[in-house]
């Protein structure tokens, strides 16, 4: 139901990822209509940076669609993003945190190439990497909002707090509960 509302409100430009993850909790895999929970996923040390903005999901998705229609290499780039995600799932299964970080960096570059990043997000990503994060990338629709960095130390959190354009930074953990009825 949540997906359907998002789909209707955003003129058909919704992703199942956010609503499925929120509803189910834990780590999930969403590829088109195929939505499933991933079992026995290791806890990753995330730091989130937020720029205080939100991107227009519908506009960003339409922009990527237009690029894909105009340029074959843009369609290849979107396919490469899927390849990175699938490779990351394998690294997650193996517990290879360093590889996950490298793939996050690669993924951010591809997302930026198709126009869904923003200067504030790029600035936070580079600040996190320079502070020693294993990887950092935008999260969500892009165009503003949040980045997620993979780092066990406090250095990334501190660096983001002092990064121009970062409104707030905080640590985040994977919540495995999802939506539940409370009495």
């Amino acid at each position: 139901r949540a997906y359907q509302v998002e789909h209707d409100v955003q003129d058909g430009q919704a992703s199942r990822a956010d609503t499925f993850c929120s509803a189910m909790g834990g780590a999930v895999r969403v590829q088109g209509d195929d939505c499933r929970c991933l079992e026995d996923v290791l806890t990753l040390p995330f730091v989130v940076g937020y720029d205080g903005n939100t991107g227009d999901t519908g506009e960003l998705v339409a922009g990527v669609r237009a690029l894909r229609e105009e340029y074959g290499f843009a369609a290849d780039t979107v396919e490469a993003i899927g390849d990175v995600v699938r490779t990351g799932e394998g690294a997650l299964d193996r517990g290879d945190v360093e590889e996950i970080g490298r793939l996050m960096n690669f993924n951010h570059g591809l997302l930026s190439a198709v126009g869904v990043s923003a200067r504030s997000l790029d600035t936070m990503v580079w600040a996190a990497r320079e502070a020693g994060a294993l990887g950092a990338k935008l999260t969500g629709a892009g165009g503003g909002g949040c980045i997620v960095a993979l780092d066990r130390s406090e250095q990334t959190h501190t660096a983001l707090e002092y990064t121009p354009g970062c409104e707030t930074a905080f640590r985040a953990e994977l919540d495995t509960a999802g939506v539940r009825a409370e009495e």
Side-chain angles (χ1 to χ4, degrees):
R1 289 181 188 163
Y3 165 74
Q4 191 59 51
V5 168
E6 187 175 343
H7 183 273
D8 293 347
V9 169
Q10 295 179 161
D11 299 321
Q13 305 296 322
S15 164
R16 287 177 167 75
D18 291 343
T19 52
F20 186 73
C21 187
S22 298
M24 302 308 293
V28 301
R29 181 178 194 269
V30 177
Q31 185 173 5
D33 293 339
D34 179 20
C35 303
R36 65 182 80 167
C37 295
L38 302 177
E39 302 298 326
D40 302 321
V41 175
L42 70 146
T43 301
L44 297 172
F46 289 123
V47 178
V48 176
Y50 174 56
D51 69 3
N53 298 309
T54 58
D56 183 324
T57 302
E59 183 178 302
L60 291 161
V61 171
V64 172
R65 181 176 291 120
L67 278 175
R68 289 176 66 183
E69 290 171 1
E70 185 172 353
Y71 301 108
F73 57 81
D76 294 342
T77 302
V78 172
E79 285 184 37
I81 290 169
D83 292 342
V84 170
V85 171
R86 285 183 289 282
T87 302
E89 189 176 344
L92 191 60
D93 288 343
R94 294 188 308 278
D96 190 344
V97 178
E98 287 76 19
E99 177 72 356
I100 293 167
R102 285 189 295 274
L103 292 167
M104 289 172 67
N105 291 337
F106 199 89
N107 186 264
H108 182 80
L110 294 171
L111 291 167
S112 187
V114 294
V116 297
S117 193
R119 184 181 303 266
S120 59
L121 298 177
D122 291 340
T123 300
M124 288 189 290
V125 162
W126 281 103
R129 291 177 187 172
E130 290 171 356
L134 296 173
K137 65 178 288 301
L138 69 87
T139 186
C146 293
I147 65 113
V148 60
L150 186 58
D151 190 4
R152 291 182 178 96
S153 76
E154 283 302 311
Q155 293 169 313
T156 295
H157 182 262
T158 301
L160 287 173
E161 286 182 324
Y162 289 99
T163 299
C166 182
E167 186 173 293
T168 189
F170 56 91
R171 284 216 163 268
E173 294 180 12
L174 186 63
D175 189 346
T176 57
V179 173
R180 60 195 170 276
E182 292 189 15
E183 300 182 34

